[in-house]
Amino acid sequence: AVVSTQSTGVTAAVYIVSILPYVAYNTVKPMLPGGEGVLEYGSSEFIYYRVAMALISIHIMANFFIYCLTIESFRSFLHGKVKEILPCFPSRKESVTLSKNESEKMAGYS
């Protein structure tokens, strides 16, 4: 599959923005007093570390949306998969009818 330069650029930019807090944390941590110790729950250092790790996770999830917006073949693939899976789910009208029939059977009408 051909990946557009737009997609690559956006992915790289999101990666850099998401990884910078983690890199900053690992760069500064050894310089802090007690920098090699265990993080104390609730401390500002602990919170910053958690935010930095969360940003890395957001980057991973953002890739899906970046690819959806920038790569036409990926959108086509997803569209095909949705069409393939969609018949497995009953429509709203079918589920209402099914529920009505089931309630009649439970009430002893049929």
Side-chain angles (χ1 to χ4, degrees):
V2 177
V3 177
S4 70
T5 55
Q6 179 185 12
S7 172
T8 305
V10 173
T11 302
V14 170
Y15 176 74
I16 289 170
V17 168
S18 69
I19 200 77
L20 278 176
Y22 183 72
V23 170
Y25 173 80
N26 283 328
T27 303
V28 173
K29 182 168 172 61
M31 298 176 209
L32 297 173
E36 298 302 321
V38 177
L39 294 175
E40 183 180 325
Y41 182 78
S43 67
S44 59
E45 183 183 354
F46 176 80
I47 293 168
Y48 183 82
Y49 175 76
R50 295 290 299 254
V51 169
M53 295 306 292
L55 283 174
I56 293 172
S57 299
I58 288 172
H59 159 68
I60 293 167
M61 293 180 282
N63 280 338
F64 172 78
F65 297 103
I66 292 169
Y67 294 159
C68 284
L69 294 172
T70 58
I71 302 174
E72 188 174 341
S73 62
F74 186 68
R75 285 192 306 265
S76 298
F77 169 77
L78 288 177
H79 185 72
K81 288 296 178 184
V82 167
K83 278 186 161 183
E84 185 179 308
I85 294 171
L86 205 55
C88 297
F89 298 101
S91 69
R92 184 174 178 190
K93 187 176 182 178
E94 289 171 347
S95 64
V96 169
T97 305
L98 182 63
S99 298
K100 188 176 179 181
N101 289 339
E102 287 178 348
S103 64
E104 288 176 358
K105 284 181 183 177
M106 288 182 191
Y109 292 124
S110 7

